[in-house]
Amino acid sequence: GAVVSQHPSWVICKSGTSVKIECRSLDFQATTMFWYRQFPKQSLMLMATSNEGSKATYEQGVEKDKFLINHASLTLSTLTVTSAHPEDSSFYICSARGKGIQPQHFGDGTRLSIL
Amino acid sequence: DAKTTQPPSMDCAEGRAANLPCNHSTISGNEYVYWYRQIHSQGPQYIIHGLKNNETNEMASLIITEDRKSSTLILPHATLRDTAVYYCIVRVPTDSWGKLQFGAGTQVVVTP
């Protein structure tokens, strides 16, 4: 089946640090990639959608200057949390999909803790 | 996207079939039904999807009513590893790049 790899799986860093999370589709070309955030005991919240080679589209309330998304190739998207603060601590999950009616496939998530 | 309604929780016995209902009474003709599950502290896992015909794969079966207003995900022989939150989502697969909006889902607990 389709595999999406997300790295790192967890990260702990100091407040003010910028953190980059990678999302790769390993066995298919991802025309679209998505980034979600999930707080404890809550459902996934879509943050942004990106198509290869174009700017990401952010959901309402998500700061685009805070959460930088790059989708430079059909197999790689990155999310950079800039100047992270404790309130940015969360579980970040990426997903990717190919063309047509193909379903999204998700990475295993990155648990981010900002001290 | 059509709204879905799922029970908040379900218990089922190991080895028995688990039948997970989903109501999507406002579904439109070109919207598909997708099922995902999320095991604790992992990313969601795709299970199955369908438009109007019943579907089966190695993980589960999807039964969609003739009027498409509801569906049932069937896990034929539940195991402890099937304990997860199950999400039913309906949408046009290529609309808005196919983005998914997750609801609260059904917390399924499989007990020995």
Side-chain angles (χ1 to χ4, degrees), chain B residues 5-74:
Chain B
T5 304
Q6 298 178 254
S9 63
M10 283 182 61
D11 293 337
C12 61
E14 186 179 22
R16 305 292 290 270
N19 297 302
L20 282 61
C22 180
N23 185 288
H24 32 79
S25 58
T26 60
I27 192 170
S28 60
N30 57 352
E31 288 184 309
Y32 283 66
V33 180
Y34 291 85
W35 282 85
Y36 286 80
R37 71 180 183 185
Q38 186 178 25
I39 296 169
H40 184 61
S41 296
Q42 297 182 22
Q45 178 186 22
Y46 164 76
I47 301 174
I48 200 166
H49 73 281
L51 181 61
K52 53 184 177 182
N53 296 323
N54 296 338
E55 302 287 345
T56 296
N57 63 21
E58 65 277 6
M59 290 183 67
S61 295
L62 173 60
I63 308 298
I64 303 174
T65 58
E66 192 168 342
D67 63 6
R68 302 209 325 122
K69 293 185 177 182
S70 66
S71 61
T72 301
L73 179 74
I74 301 172

Side-chain angles (χ1 to χ4, degrees), chain A residues 23-89:
Chain A
C23 180
R24 295 180 184 271
S25 58
L26 298 184
D27 54 356
F28 68 101
Q29 292 188 326
T31 54
T32 310
M33 286 186 165
F34 306 84
W35 288 95
Y36 295 80
R37 181 167 52 180
Q38 186 175 32
F39 292 106
K41 299 188 185 301
Q42 295 185 20
S43 190
L44 284 78
M45 295 295 295
L46 180 66
M47 298 175 67
T49 303
S50 72
N51 288 301
E52 183 260 341
S54 60
K55 289 184 178 180
T57 300
Y58 290 81
E59 295 298 300
Q60 191 172 8
V62 178
E63 301 174 58
K64 58 184 67 176
D65 294 331
K66 175 78 171 174
F67 299 100
L68 302 179
I69 292 171
N70 184 281
H71 190 168
S73 77
L74 284 171
T75 59
L76 174 64
S77 176
T78 61
L79 168 68
T80 301
V81 184
T82 62
S83 188
H85 292 285
E87 58 267 28
D88 299 320
S89 298

